[in-house]
Amino acid sequence: MGTWIWIWICICGGFLSPKWKWFRWPERLVIFTFGLVFSKGLMTLVLQNLSSFLTDSLNLKLKEAITIVNLQEGLRNMLQICVALCIDAYLGYRWMLILSSLLYSAGLFLLALSVPGGERCPSNCFKELKHTSFWEGLTLVIVGGAAQVIPLYALSFEQTRVAKIPEDYEPARVQVGCFRFRVKIGGWRNFLQKVIRWLLFLFLITGALTSVYGFFFYYDKWQQHFFQSAVAIIIGLLWFLCGFPFYGPRRLQRSPLSIMLHTLIAAWQKRHLKYQINLDEEDQNHSLTDHLELLNSAAVKESPADDNLRRRWRLCTVTEVEQTKLLLDIIPMSATFIVYGMVKSLGNTFFIEQADRMHGSISVVVLQLIQFISKSAVNEGYKMVFEKRIQRIKRRYSDGVKIGIGMLTSILCCAVASQVESKRLKALKKKGLLDNPEAEAPMSAYWLLLQFIFLGAMEGLAGDGIVNFFGHYAPDSRRYAPVFTSSLTGFGTILSIGFIAIIDYYIRFRYKESWIGESVNESRLDLIYRAYVMLAVLNCFIYAYVASSYSYDNIIGRPENEQEIPVLEVKQQQEEEKAAGDPQNKQEQEEYQLQRMSVR
């Protein structure tokens, strides 16, 4: 064990050594996030299978377990907008990562303490949960999980992104030890960026495989799962703190959401003014569009002598007004993405409960792995087969087509799930086991394979398409595209709670029965899936209408192009002199040193 520690210290020392000039500072500092990236992979299956912990260990009713799971997942995604605002305005990435890791690990410790001493509660434990640390732990997990996603990604994977290499860039000399090479900097940077990303993915996959191993052999040991995840986060945080002194100064900046709020308030306060006059001096060379012209008054300067208008939220620049218009334009399209989050929530709730009550040697973990493989395969297959052809014909419609196909896949997912559940209930009824909440249907869990594949395909198409849509049409897309996507998905997850409650209330009032019983065997999930099918079909028609009327001409960024061809930022230490000089001076003339870049 000591040998491996010394090897790890040597590798880290090599990364941080000034002699390793071909690695920039952000790339060297990525190694301090390896521990937290590993813990992120370790947490993959813990929260995805939380419904099994609630129904099996705590013996909660199906409705109670589904509500808790959807609530924690939805809030964890929705709070990312608040986290992004807090990062930009106050804390920065490093302090937010430290705070979120502490909250996350504390919440997992409290959840571990709330696990019953035996295998499971003898009866429903919902009322007894207030006497345990469950609710406190769940709250900390929600807040810590929401706050960790953005800074961890920004300080790990995001640090390997650099600007696109200029076309006229010439090869340069790079010294590695006592050897010098004449290389194309773009290709050299591309290779080094891949090395860093490979290491990050290696730690992420290692953590995920460790989680898979734990759930495959110790599925019901929830106290052990919570404790292991909490310890992994603490160890990763301690390793991250070792590199804290090497980071640059904290950078704070304005977010597009605060700019939008500033613009709306300024436009409302000056709604009686005409924007054609008295523009701010720095905006004289810019023009305001006629679209949403009510907002143009925010750029009107009431009194040229007053320099405190901006601080009083009464003056905006033309650029800020136009960014606000772009955000307001994507609201109708964004509203159609909510149903995607509602359908996605089925994968962590009803799908898992189905798998737990079916006979067969296949585990829920295997089905979730197949779902992830389907997501990746469909996404890459679409890029290779359809995306380039659509871009050649009508490039601006590529994101919309991808999202539309993903929404059609959500219909197939719910329809297949309804048919499989109907078959499972018939098998239970044939054996007289419908009233037994612990009974397993005499049919293989392999029947669930198709609905998990469609669920992964929906995430690969619609989920990735939504991220690309925000990346192309939202201001500051590089930072906020994943945040907007997660927030809409979380809102859809929470909305599914209300959707199921409305269905249950209507059925109770109309037919004097309930589609959601105390267990999955006593419920009618097949009819609930059919309700989701109708909802998905209706949303597809609405999306088709909104997408066809949306203007795709305002593409403001394509962030995926920035990461394909990285560039090495170098500067020559001295210019070459015409006259011959000192040999040592000549050697210094040929050296290239890396520019130290600020890391948030």
Side-chain angles (χ1 to χ4, degrees), residues 350-364:
F350 290 141
F351 284 12
I352 295 177
E353 295 299 323
Q354 281 182 278
D356 287 340
R357 295 297 178 262
M358 296 181 71
H359 182 71
S361 58
I362 186 172
S363 173
V364 180

Side-chain angles (χ1 to χ4, degrees), residues 82-96:
C82 300
V83 172
L85 294 175
C86 186
I87 289 174
D88 290 338
Y90 302 105
L91 294 179
Y93 289 107
R94 288 170 293 160
W95 287 106
M96 180 60 74

Side-chain angles (χ1 to χ4, degrees), residues 180 574 579-591:
R180 293 176 184 172
Q574 284 184 331
D582 186 31
Q584 183 177 359
N585 191 24
K586 290 183 178 180
Q587 182 178 0
E588 294 178 354
Q589 294 172 3
E590 297 174 352
E591 290 183 355

Side-chain angles (χ1 to χ4, degrees), residues 333 336-337 340 382 397-409 458 461-470 540 543:
M333 282 281 287
T336 62
F337 302 155
Y340 161 75
Y382 178 86
Y397 296 124
S398 178
D399 299 333
V401 172
K402 189 174 185 179
I403 297 172
I405 297 176
M407 291 184 175
L408 292 176
T409 309
M458 181 199 69
L461 292 172
D464 188 73
I466 293 172
V467 174
N468 293 338
F469 174 80
F470 286 125
C540 281
Y543 171 77

Side-chain angles (χ1 to χ4, degrees), residues 51-57 59-60 62 120 219-220 349-360 362 364 367 420-421 423-425 427-428 433 436-445 448 518-522 525:
S51 63
S52 296
F53 165 67
L54 298 176
T55 55
D56 295 341
S57 297
N59 200 17
L60 298 185
L62 180 63
R120 59 174 297 172
Y219 188 79
D220 297 329
T349 53
F350 290 141
F351 284 12
I352 295 177
E353 295 299 323
Q354 281 182 278
D356 287 340
R357 295 297 178 262
M358 296 181 71
H359 182 71
I362 186 172
V364 180
L367 294 173
V420 173
E421 178 63 12
K423 183 178 180 62
R424 191 187 72 88
L425 292 176
L428 285 172
L433 300 174
N436 186 0
E438 302 296 329
E440 293 184 355
M443 60 181 295
S444 176
L448 301 174
E518 294 187 1
S519 66
V520 67
N521 291 340
E522 300 169 299
L525 297 186

